[in-house]
Amino acid sequence: MKHMIVAGNWKMHTTAAEAAALAAEVVTLVGKQGGTAPTADVVICPPFTSLDAVVAVTADTSVHVGAQDCHHEHHGAFTGDVSASMIRAVGCSHVIVGHSERRRYHHETDTLIASKVLAALAEGLVPIVCVGETLDEREANITTQVITTQLETILQIVGAERMQQCIVAYEPVWAIGTGRAATAEQAQEVHATIAALLAKAGVHVPILYGGSVTAENAATLFAGADVYGALVGGASLKADAFAAIVAAAGAQMQ
Ligand code: 13P
């Protein structure tokens, strides 16, 4: 049986008040699922300014809270940044690192991402480590090469033992926010590549798919043997759509 995880990346959406209301809806809808059946792990990742409010709403529920990024240093003169220890102290359990929007708009490299993974793990946070190719790279038939370079660089710095504490997310850049999700075959093919690469180092971790996941396509994507859930953007901002994705993940666990 696959243990499934569904994470919602709220990106730069929701004020603290809006986030608390959305989190409350998610708690209600996800809490109603399952009964005695196993349910997927659920993580919601609001903006930094909403973490406190969302942690308060989700306390004593099965819904976990994550941040969307962290700095690689514990503290210091880094204006505008937030450290893993601060994220942990506010009550988070997870943190997304290496999202393609951070790679693109903040020029994050695999080396920097690896140092963020180490900082997160040192604070007891579970890093959700993102990799993925651009459209140009896919069209140039270098997807495997790109993913391999990203993961091997991170793995080399982080080490297999620590990598084992992570979650990996495959997010093809061309599928993010475009409404054009990877097909189940495309997703499974890359997930299998990632699983094989990690297995060579003795690492066996959940690999989530991200990129235009919806309530409609989730079940098809989740059927892939190496697809262990989703990192959801847009659809995670609607509690009912997000809950339907969580239900589709739960169905894989029965
Ligand atoms: P969308 O689901 O909006 O395509 O975003 C995916 C994503 O970037 C999640 O991290």
Side-chain angles (χ1 to χ4, degrees):
M1 185 190 75
K2 289 197 289 184
H3 190 88
M4 304 290 284
I5 303 166
V6 178
N9 175 6
W10 294 1
K11 305 196 179 182
M12 198 169 73
H13 297 285
T14 68
T15 62
E18 290 164 350
L22 179 55
E25 276 189 83
V26 169
V27 164
T28 305
L29 292 176
V30 167
K32 278 189 193 146
Q33 291 179 6
T36 54
T39 47
D41 284 353
V42 177
V43 188
I44 49 179
C45 304
F48 288 129
T49 48
S50 299
L51 288 174
D52 199 26
V54 170
V55 164
V57 169
T58 55
D60 303 320
T61 77
S62 60
V63 175
H64 304 279
V65 183
Q68 297 173 16
D69 179 45
C70 68
H71 196 272
H72 62 284
E73 293 286 354
H74 187 66
H75 52 72
F78 302 104
T79 302
D81 280 313
V82 176
S83 71
S85 55
M86 294 167 185
I87 291 165
R88 181 71 197 172
V90 84
C92 290
S93 52
H94 293 68
V95 59
I96 298 169
V97 288
H99 192 280
S100 66
E101 287 148 19
R102 300 292 313 176
R103 291 172 182 265
R104 179 170 175 199
Y105 302 123
H106 297 270
H107 313 292
E108 294 196 2
T109 62
D110 292 314
T111 308
L112 176 68
I113 292 159
S115 62
K116 291 184 175 205
V117 171
L118 290 173
L121 288 171
E123 294 300 331
L125 295 168
V126 178
I128 302 174
V129 187
C130 303
V131 295
E133 82 287 3
T134 64
L135 185 59
D136 284 352
E137 289 164 343
R138 174 159 284 263
E139 286 178 345
N141 280 322
I142 56 168
T143 298
T144 300
Q145 203 177 309
V146 168
I147 304 290
T148 301
T149 303
Q150 291 173 339
L151 268 179
E152 281 185 345
T153 307
I154 294 168
L155 186 56
Q156 197 177 9
I157 295 168
V158 171
E161 205 175 311
R162 291 196 193 93
M163 198 72 197
Q164 185 59 41
Q165 337 260 316
C166 297
I167 294 168
V168 170
Y170 167 55
E171 296 210 311
V173 180
W174 49 270
I176 295 176
T178 59
R180 186 185 156 202
T183 63
E185 294 72 27
Q186 285 172 324
Q188 169 54 28
E189 189 183 10
V190 179
H191 279 235
T193 302
I194 294 171
L197 189 152
L198 293 174
K200 269 202 291 180
V203 176
H204 303 275
V205 295
I207 306 165
L208 314 185
Y209 168 78
S212 296
V213 176
T214 62
E216 290 72 34
N217 64 19
T220 313
L221 286 159
F222 292 161
D226 296 297
V227 179
Y228 283 75
L231 180 53
V232 187
S236 70
L237 293 168
K238 295 182 216 98
D240 52 352
F242 187 65
I245 295 167
V246 174
Q252 290 290 326
M253 297 170 63
Q254 284 154 34

